């Protein structure tokens, strides 16, 4: 007999026998006539309409709904194999109901054959919803439900049992033999995406990433390389300045007046000095600096690692300091300005700072030319203890370009003698200021230009600012009677007078309420022009000025170079001042012709006399002869400005008249005569004004030329003495200076004698 089924028997209608209406069947199946909890009600299709012949019952659900497939069964189907359940094991009686809820896909046994029971059951049965492959046969039937062994599957009826959910049967194939089990087509896994498309997309993305990286690398290597390389190298670069040697200042013969020599500077690193007091004691005798000052400089101040202890130290002394091997003390190459002559032409040359920046005189005026261009050494260096040039690393050296040298028109030997004479003559005065100028009458070269007081340019810090001024270009005075040569020259050129002119001269004359007197009164006698110059007659000169008129007098003042800087080359040269004709007062008609109400410098007045000596042609005085470049190329200075002021005949006539000053008995300039030479010149007594205020004392002056018959040199001496008596100094000083100049340049004595002048003609 077949094994007894655990299912209740079914009647003809397909319903179970023994089913309890209105109750719950075994396994928790829904009662007949009640709809399941999650499906449509019994007797209704999925569209909600009742189906004819439907009979409620759980057996229909079991007959037409396949059980769910386990993961293992699904895997077997995908592998093309279908295992047969082992016999003797009954299926799950409640699986059909669950399959109804899971979709109700069941296939009736078309041949009336019952499926063999599975041989074994897995420990865990998982229901996997079946998926229809897109390319499955539309007539393929779902897998048959698992049945318990020994039971005949219920017959399918057109009307499902009551209480069972309605399902749609797959159409029966009529072209296959009855009783044969349909052959199932293996189910293929669903296609998630097209592999080739994914491969192409991935390839494109990878190529795009590599392209971006490649382009960036090309940019970094080819375009941005200099910037990145420069930025990296910049952090490793060290720089050492290579100072350019400063050009020298030489006299006309090439002898140095100021030059730069190699030296050393001594420095301290306060962070490394161990015992600053003991270190200062060792350095003090070598540097000539007090111990307290050195110790203060070596005092630690934050992270400061460099302090100068001394500049311009001799190389030999620097080696002695290096031999001490003091912690935190070192030396390095330096440059020192050397002034071989000390105070020789110091007021002209000036001085520099410790950094060799021009501060005074020609050093300041031509600083850019003398300085040159510093060089530099830029190289890659390591860090820390390896702070040295990296072999094969970046290294670039810019050689320093030495400064150019100035060759002056100054004659060192003559300069020295003029300074000595001026200093010796002024030693008898107190608080006096003196200036002396020696000019070459033909070329305008300044052969000597001295000031007193002076200073040592090697140690300028020990002098006063007033001692460092160049009096020849900054000392503005009323020239006084030396100005009369300009008045007489203009009168000769304009035909107002002749060398033989003479007329009665009174002792005094009044202009604008001011009375002007003569120091050598003529008592109303006829006085020649030569006599007026010999005795420095104010009254006779004022009368010549009246004949000349203010406009013509001012015009000749300008032609002789007054009222404007000479452009000699010294910085800060004063221009002087001329009184315009429209500003003349009544007294100006008396003061201007005799050299008052006129501001001029000693150099301007010396240039005016050089015009007379040079046959009436003005030549601009100048100090710079030529410039010598670092390559030795010599560049002459620009040609001096020249202009005609007097005719050669009138200039020669004026020179002859000026000889009376040093030859006539009782003349004002007898003390200036140089034995063996004819001297033409003029004395003067003027005033000094500072900021428009008259200063006490007087300014004595003498300007002369020699030999008078053919002048070659002009010497001008000015001395301001606040106690008066400057005139007693200048004439003797002129005599010594002119005498040395004539001998120094080997000028032969004059062959003839000065003419005999008739002072009081009949």
């Amino acid at each position: 007999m077949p094994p007894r089924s655990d299912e209740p028997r079914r009647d003809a209608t397909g319903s179970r026998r023994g089913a309890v209406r209105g109750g719950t069947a075994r396994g928790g199946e829904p009662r007949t006539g009640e709809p399941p909890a999650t499906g449509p009600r019994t007797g209704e299709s999925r569209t909600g309409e009742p189906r004819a012949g439907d009979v409620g019952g759980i057996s229909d659900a079991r007959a037409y709904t396949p059980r769910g497939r386990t993961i293992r069964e699904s895997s077997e189907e995908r592998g093309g194999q279908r295992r047969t359940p082992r016999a003797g094991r009954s299926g799950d009686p409640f699986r059909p109901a669950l399959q109804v809820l899971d979709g109700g896909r069941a296939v009736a046994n078309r041949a009336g054959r019952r499926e063999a029971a599975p041989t074994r059951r897995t420990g865990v049965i998982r229901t996997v919803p079946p998926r229809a492959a897109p390319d499955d046969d539309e007539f393929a039937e779902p897998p048959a439900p698992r049945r318990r062994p020994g039971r005949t599957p219920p017959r399918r009826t057109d009307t499902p049992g009551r209480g069972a959910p309605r399902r749609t049967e797959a159409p029966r194939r009529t072209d296959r033999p009855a009783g044969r089990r349909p052959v199932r087509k293996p189910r293929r896994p669903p296609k998630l995406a097209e592999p080739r498309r994914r491969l192409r997309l991935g390839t494109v993305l990878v190529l795009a990433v590599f392209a971006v990286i490649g382009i960036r690398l090309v940019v970094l290597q080819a375009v941005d390389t200099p910037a990145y390389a420069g930025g990296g190298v910049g952090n490793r670069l060290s720089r050492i300045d290579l100072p350019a040697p400063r050009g020298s200042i030489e006299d006309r013969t090439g002898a140095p007046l100021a030059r730069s020599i190699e030296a050393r500077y001594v420095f301290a690193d306060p962070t490394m000095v161990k015992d600053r007091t003991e270190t200062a004691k060792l350095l003090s005798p070598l540097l000539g600096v007090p111990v307290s000052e050195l110790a203060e400089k070596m005092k630690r101040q934050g992270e400061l690692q460099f302090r100068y202890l001394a500049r311009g130290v001799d190389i030999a002394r620097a080696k002695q300091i290096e031999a001490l091997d003091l912690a935190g003390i070192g030396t390095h190459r330096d440059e020192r300005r050397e002034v071989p002559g000390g105070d020789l032409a110091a007021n002209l040359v000036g001085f520099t700072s410790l950094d060799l920046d021009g501060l005074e005189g020609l050093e300041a005026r031509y600083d850019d030319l003398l300085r040159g261009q510093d060089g530099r050494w830029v190289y890659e260096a390591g860090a820390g203890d390896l702070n040295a040039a990296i072999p094969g690393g970046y290294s670039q050296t810019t050689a320093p370009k030495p400064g150019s040298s100035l060759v002056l028109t100054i004659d060192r030997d003559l300069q020295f003698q003029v300074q000595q004479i001026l200093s010796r003559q002024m030693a008898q005065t107190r608080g006096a200021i003196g200036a002396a100028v020696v000019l070459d009458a033909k070329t305008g070269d300044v052969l000597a230009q001295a000031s007193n007081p002076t200073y040592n340019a090697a140690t300028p810090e020990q002098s006063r600012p007033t001692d460092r001024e160049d009096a020849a270009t900054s000392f503005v005075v009323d020239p006084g009677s030396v100005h009369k040569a300009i008045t007489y020259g203009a009168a000769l050129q304009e035909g107002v007078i002749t060398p033989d002119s003479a007329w009665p001269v009174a002792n005094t004359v009044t202009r604008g309420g001011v009375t002007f007197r003569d120091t050598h009164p003529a008592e109303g006698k006829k006085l020649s022009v030569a006599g007026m110059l010999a005795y420095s007659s104010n009254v006779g000169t004022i009368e010549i000025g009246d004949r000349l008129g203010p406009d013509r007098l001012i015009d000749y003042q300008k032609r002789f170079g007054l009222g404007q800087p000479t452009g000699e080359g010294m910085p800060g040269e004063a221009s002087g001042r001329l009184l315009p004709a429209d500003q003349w007062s009544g007294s100006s008609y008396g003061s201007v012709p005799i050299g008052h109400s006129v501001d001029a410098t000693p150099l301007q007045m010396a240039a005016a006399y050089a015009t007379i000596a040079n046959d009436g042609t003005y030549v601009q005085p100048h100090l710079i002869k030529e410039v010598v470049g670092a390559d030795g190329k010599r560049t002459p200075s620009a040609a001096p400005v020249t202009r005609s002021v007097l005719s050669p005949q009138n200039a020669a006539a004026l020179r002859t008249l000026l000889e009376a000053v040093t030859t006539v008995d009782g003349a004002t300039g007898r003390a200036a005569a140089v034995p063996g030479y004819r001297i033409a010149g003029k004395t003067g007594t003027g005033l000094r004004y500072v900021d428009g205020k008259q200063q006490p004392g007087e300014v004595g002056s003498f300007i002369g030329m020699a030999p008078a018959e053919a002048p070659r040199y002009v010497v001008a001496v000015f001395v301001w003495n606040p106690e008066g008596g400057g005139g007693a100094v200048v004439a003797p000083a002129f005599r010594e200076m002119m005498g040395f100049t004539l001998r120094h340049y080997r000028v032969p004595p004059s062959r003839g004698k000065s003419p005999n002048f008739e002072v009081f003609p009949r």
Side-chain angles (χ1 to χ4, degrees):
M1 293 179 63
R4 186 176 180 178
S5 173
D6 293 335
E7 272 185 47
R9 296 181 179 271
R10 300 176 185 269
D11 55 14
T13 60
S15 60
R16 298 180 191 175
R17 291 182 181 180
V20 182
R21 293 183 179 272
T24 303
R26 198 173 59 170
E29 296 175 353
R31 291 177 298 181
T32 306
E34 292 182 358
T38 59
R41 289 181 301 176
T42 304
E44 292 180 357
S45 66
R46 293 188 180 182
T47 58
E49 297 179 357
R51 295 176 54 185
D54 283 348
V55 179
I58 194 67
S59 60
D60 291 334
R62 296 185 60 181
Y64 293 101
T65 304
R67 66 177 180 86
R69 290 172 295 161
T70 65
I71 297 176
R72 180 176 180 179
E73 293 169 339
S74 300
S75 301
E76 292 173 348
E77 289 179 357
R78 284 193 299 269
Q81 297 178 0
R82 180 78 174 180
R83 293 186 180 183
T84 303
R86 287 184 296 179
R89 297 288 299 270
S90 62
D92 188 355
F94 305 105
R95 176 67 61 182
L98 296 177
Q99 290 177 345
V100 170
L101 298 178
D102 191 48
R105 291 184 295 272
V107 180
N109 192 340
R110 302 178 186 273
R113 298 172 59 185
R114 57 190 311 171
E115 185 175 319
T119 59
R120 64 183 179 88
R121 296 183 59 170
T122 57
V124 179
I125 301 175
R126 299 181 60 183
T127 303
V128 179
R131 300 179 185 176
D135 54 351
D136 284 350
D137 188 358
E138 62 177 348
F139 297 105
E141 295 181 358
R146 299 178 62 182
R147 292 186 297 274
R148 303 176 73 179
R151 288 186 62 99
T152 302
R155 297 178 62 85
R156 293 184 60 178
T157 60
D158 295 332
T159 304
R162 186 167 26 177
R166 184 179 178 180
R167 59 180 298 273
T168 303
E169 296 184 1
R172 184 179 300 271
R173 296 287 296 269
T174 59
D175 56 347
R176 61 172 65 127
R180 292 187 62 184
R181 186 176 180 180
V183 179
R184 294 179 53 82
K185 186 177 181 179
R187 297 175 62 86
R188 285 187 267 178
K191 295 182 179 180
L192 299 179
E194 177 62 36
R196 294 182 180 179
R197 184 179 301 172
R198 291 199 306 270
L199 181 59
R200 294 190 189 100
L201 180 59
T203 303
V204 170
L205 291 177
V206 171
L207 291 178
V209 171
F210 275 101
V212 171
I213 295 174
I215 292 174
R216 183 57 181 162
L217 288 176
V218 171
V219 172
L220 290 177
Q221 294 291 333
V223 179
D224 295 342
T225 298
Y228 283 99
V233 172
N235 296 330
R236 301 189 301 273
L237 291 183
S238 296
R239 168 179 168 176
I240 295 179
D241 290 333
L242 305 176
R246 188 177 179 87
S248 61
I249 299 178
E250 305 170 356
D251 80 331
R252 66 186 302 112
T253 64
L257 299 175
R259 63 185 177 185
S260 293
I261 61 174
E262 184 178 352
R264 298 289 185 269
Y265 66 77
V266 181
F267 67 93
D269 183 351
T271 63
M272 298 181 63
V273 176
K274 296 180 178 179
D275 188 342
R276 57 191 180 95
T277 302
E278 187 63 26
T279 302
K281 291 180 180 179
L282 295 174
L283 293 176
S284 180
L286 295 175
L287 299 179
V289 181
V291 175
S292 58
E293 183 177 345
L294 290 175
E296 182 65 24
K297 290 182 178 180
M298 289 184 284
K299 185 177 181 180
R300 184 164 184 171
Q301 298 179 0
E303 298 300 324
L304 182 64
Q305 297 181 337
F306 182 89
R307 288 290 298 273
Y308 280 116
L309 298 182
R311 299 289 302 273
V313 179
D314 293 337
I315 297 178
R317 188 163 298 181
K319 290 182 178 179
Q320 295 178 5
I321 295 174
E322 292 174 357
L324 296 176
D325 195 19
L326 300 173
I329 304 299
T331 63
H332 200 274
R333 185 186 183 281
D334 197 10
E335 190 175 342
R336 185 183 71 216
R337 199 67 168 168
E338 182 184 54
V339 184
D343 63 349
L344 182 65
N347 300 79
L348 294 177
V349 174
F351 59 91
T352 65
S353 66
L354 293 177
D355 294 325
L356 300 184
D357 294 326
L359 300 179
E360 291 277 356
L362 296 175
E363 294 275 22
R365 173 67 176 78
Y366 296 96
D367 183 64
D368 293 339
L369 187 111
L370 293 167
R371 178 194 299 273
Q373 297 179 1
D374 292 342
R376 68 185 62 180
W377 177 31
V378 182
Y379 61 94
E380 278 188 274
D385 296 338
L386 299 177
N387 188 13
I390 299 176
Y394 177 86
S395 178
Q396 183 178 12
T397 302
T398 302
K401 182 179 179 181
S404 300
S405 297
L406 288 179
V407 178
L408 306 184
T409 58
I410 296 294
D411 186 324
R412 183 179 62 171
D413 294 338
L414 180 60
Q415 177 74 25
F416 175 79
Q417 289 296 331
V418 169
Q419 285 187 210
Q420 291 296 313
I421 294 170
L422 182 63
S423 177
R424 186 169 56 252
Q425 291 293 334
M426 292 184 60
Q428 53 188 312
T429 63
R430 292 183 304 174
I433 297 176
V437 179
V438 180
L439 295 178
D440 186 318
K442 300 297 182 181
T443 64
D445 291 350
V446 179
L447 302 176
Q449 188 166 305
S451 299
N452 190 278
T454 186
Y455 72 104
N456 187 346
T459 57
E461 65 279 359
Q462 300 177 5
S463 61
R464 299 175 300 176
T466 54
D467 296 343
R468 302 194 290 263
E469 293 180 356
D470 175 53
T473 57
S474 63
F475 191 45
V476 179
V477 297
D478 274 356
S481 294
V482 291
H483 179 272
K484 293 176 180 177
I486 296 176
T487 302
Y488 282 79
L492 289 172
Q493 187 68 22
E494 294 296 322
V496 173
I497 62 173
T498 65
D500 300 328
S501 296
W503 60 87
V505 177
N507 294 339
T508 62
V509 64
T510 302
R511 294 289 185 275
V514 177
T515 300
F516 298 90
R517 305 176 183 276
D518 282 343
T519 56
H520 294 72
E523 302 295 341
K525 297 179 182 178
K526 182 184 290 188
L527 189 64
S528 65
V529 173
M532 295 178 190
L533 286 172
Y535 297 134
S536 190
S537 173
N538 291 331
V539 176
T541 305
I542 291 173
E543 292 180 356
I544 294 175
D546 290 340
R547 299 177 184 180
L548 191 61
D551 292 331
R552 286 191 292 183
L553 179 57
I554 293 174
D555 180 53
Y556 277 91
Q557 285 177 330
K558 293 179 180 179
R559 291 186 184 184
F560 275 101
L562 274 59
Q564 57 186 353
T566 63
E568 174 198 39
M570 287 297 296
E573 181 182 3
S575 61
R577 184 181 66 89
L578 298 177
L579 188 63
D582 57 358
Q583 296 181 15
W584 280 29
S585 63
S587 61
S588 299
Y589 288 87
S591 61
V592 173
I594 62 176
H596 296 286
S597 299
V598 177
D599 293 337
T601 63
L603 182 62
Q604 288 174 332
M605 294 306 303
Y609 274 73
T611 302
I612 300 172
N614 192 33
D615 292 332
T617 300
Y618 174 86
V619 180
Q620 177 190 14
H622 52 277
L623 276 171
I624 310 302
K625 180 180 180 181
E626 60 185 2
V627 176
V628 181
D631 56 355
K633 181 180 179 180
R634 295 180 177 271
T635 304
S637 62
V641 177
T642 60
R643 56 178 173 268
S644 177
V645 180
L646 303 175
S647 65
Q649 296 78 13
N650 288 326
L654 182 57
R655 289 196 299 269
T656 302
L657 293 174
L658 290 173
E659 286 188 71
V661 177
T662 59
T663 58
V664 173
D665 293 338
T668 57
R670 292 276 298 184
V674 177
Y677 294 91
R678 296 171 57 182
I679 305 296
K682 184 69 182 71
T683 58
T685 302
L687 302 173
R688 185 188 181 198
Y689 291 88
V690 177
D691 296 331
K693 296 182 180 180
Q694 181 178 341
Q695 303 299 305
E698 62 184 18
V699 178
S701 58
F702 188 93
I703 306 176
M705 60 197 74
E709 67 278 13
R712 293 185 56 184
Y713 304 104
V714 173
V715 175
V717 182
F718 283 74
V719 174
W720 171 69
N721 188 352
E723 299 178 355
V729 176
V730 293
F734 170 86
R735 181 179 66 245
E736 292 187 47
M737 294 178 189
M738 179 61 79
F740 179 84
T741 301
L742 295 172
R743 292 190 300 271
H744 177 67
Y745 289 111
R746 299 180 181 181
V747 178
S750 300
R751 295 181 180 179
K753 294 183 178 180
S754 297
N756 293 324
F757 295 98
E758 188 176 2
V759 177
F760 298 102
R762 297 181 179 179

